[in-house]
């Protein structure tokens, strides 16, 4: 219904529509079809997986299996070619074994997310997990988190390098102050530091006039 709103010129009234997040259990075929068919919906989806082991997912109360998650992910990638996928992961959840953690790392290596937001588990008041023993030692949580982030850093770099030389539509939304270690000659020669997002939610740094804030521009990825 939102995608159907049109301006006087017949263009989508809202040029970019994206989900903040989506639970895998709610990623129905109907929703996938909407993602594929609605021109205003961006080619990006944040689909939290949290863990790559079924027993850990069960203890988390996530109500899906790794197999179900992978099937939904394959369906959305088939329906929206080139879609970028980000996710959330928690390491060191109650009772997580080393084998179960390694299964999560393998999932990242298989799926090859564009971006992963990862954290070590800590009890959150009012959640069912507080009834479970927080039995993974803090030093083990830190090690697992660092290992997982190191794996994802390589995957993310590879995914980003695939965009080199391509032209993308960027919604410019930020003027970024130069960092203290940068010299004037190091920044883009076309003007102040600006930043924005592609339809796939990739962060792009570019140079230009601050009046570009709020505008859609075409940028070549270098």
């Amino acid at each position: 219904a939102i995608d159907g709103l049109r301006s006087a010129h017949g263009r989508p009234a809202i040029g970019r529509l994206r989900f903040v997040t989506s639970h895998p259990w709610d990623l129905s075929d109907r929703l996938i079809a909407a993602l594929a068919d609605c021109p205003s919906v961006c080619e990006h989806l944040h689909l939290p997986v949290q863990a790559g082991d079924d027993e850990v997912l069960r203890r988390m109360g996530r109500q899906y299996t790794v197999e179900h998650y992978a099937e939904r992910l394959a369906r959305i990638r088939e329906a929206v070619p080139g879609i970028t996928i980000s996710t959330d992961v928690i390491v060191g959840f109650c009772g997580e074994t080393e084998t179960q953690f390694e299964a999560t790392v393998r999932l990242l290596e298989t799926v090859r997310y564009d971006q992963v937001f990862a954290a070590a588990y800590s009890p959150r008041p009012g959640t069912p997990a507080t009834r479970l023993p927080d039995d993974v030692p803090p030093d083990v949580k830190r090690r697992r988190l660092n290992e997982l982030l190191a794996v994802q850093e390589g995957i993310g770099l590879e995914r980003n390098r695939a965009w080199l030389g391509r032209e993308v539509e960027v919604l410019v939304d930020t003027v970024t102050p130069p960092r203290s270690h940068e010299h004037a000659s190091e920044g883009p020669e076309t003007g102040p530091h600006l930043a924005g997002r592609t339809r796939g939610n990739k962060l792009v740094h570019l140079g230009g006039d601050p009046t570009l804030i709020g505008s859609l521009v075409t940028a070549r990825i270098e």
Side-chain angles (χ1 to χ4, degrees):
I2 296 172
D3 176 76
L5 299 174
R6 291 293 183 266
S7 68
H9 301 288
R11 292 188 292 268
I14 299 175
R16 287 187 176 188
L17 177 65
R18 79 169 86 243
F19 295 99
V20 175
T21 186
S22 181
H23 193 288
W25 194 252
D26 297 322
L27 191 60
S28 64
D29 288 344
R30 183 183 176 201
L31 181 56
I32 291 173
L35 285 162
D37 298 338
C38 298
S40 66
V41 178
C42 291
E43 297 80 13
H44 165 253
L45 185 66
H46 185 71
L47 195 65
V49 67
Q50 304 297 8
D53 177 84
D54 286 346
E55 177 58 26
V56 175
L57 291 173
R58 186 191 65 78
R59 289 199 299 274
M60 288 179 169
R62 293 294 290 173
Q63 299 181 323
Y64 57 83
T65 64
V66 173
E67 182 181 10
H68 172 82
Y69 182 94
E71 186 275 331
R72 294 287 84 190
L73 194 58
R75 183 70 64 88
I76 189 67
R77 281 177 159 169
E78 179 183 10
V80 187
I83 190 172
T84 61
I85 303 290
S86 55
T87 197
D88 295 330
V89 172
I90 294 175
V91 301
F93 188 76
C94 309
E96 182 188 68
T97 66
E98 196 68 23
T99 299
Q100 290 168 337
F101 163 70
E102 290 169 356
T104 299
V105 174
R106 287 197 302 273
L107 179 72
L108 265 60
E109 292 172 336
T110 301
V111 172
R112 311 199 74 75
Y113 293 101
D114 291 271
Q115 190 172 14
V116 172
F117 300 91
Y121 171 75
S122 60
R124 180 178 295 178
T127 60
T130 56
R131 296 194 292 267
L132 301 174
D134 182 14
D135 53 2
V136 179
D139 60 327
V140 174
K141 290 180 182 179
R142 286 193 297 271
R143 174 183 59 79
R144 290 177 182 176
L145 180 61
N146 288 334
E147 285 183 16
L148 183 137
L149 290 173
V151 168
Q152 179 56 34
E153 183 177 7
I155 295 170
L157 180 60
E158 175 191 304
R159 301 281 293 178
N160 283 341
R161 280 176 171 162
W163 289 90
L164 286 172
R166 297 171 62 176
E167 291 189 346
V168 295
E169 178 192 84
V170 179
L171 175 58
V172 184
D173 59 14
T174 306
V175 177
T176 58
R179 290 169 291 188
S180 59
H181 65 273
E182 291 181 331
H183 300 290
S185 61
E186 292 181 348
E189 297 179 359
T190 51
H193 292 245
L194 304 176
R197 297 275 173 175
T198 68
R199 286 179 60 88
N201 207 38
K202 293 283 189 181
L203 177 63
V204 177
H205 297 277
L206 62 157
D209 193 279
T211 57
L212 291 174
I213 295 293
S215 300
L216 292 170
V217 303
T218 299
R220 184 177 183 274
I221 303 300
E222 297 179 345

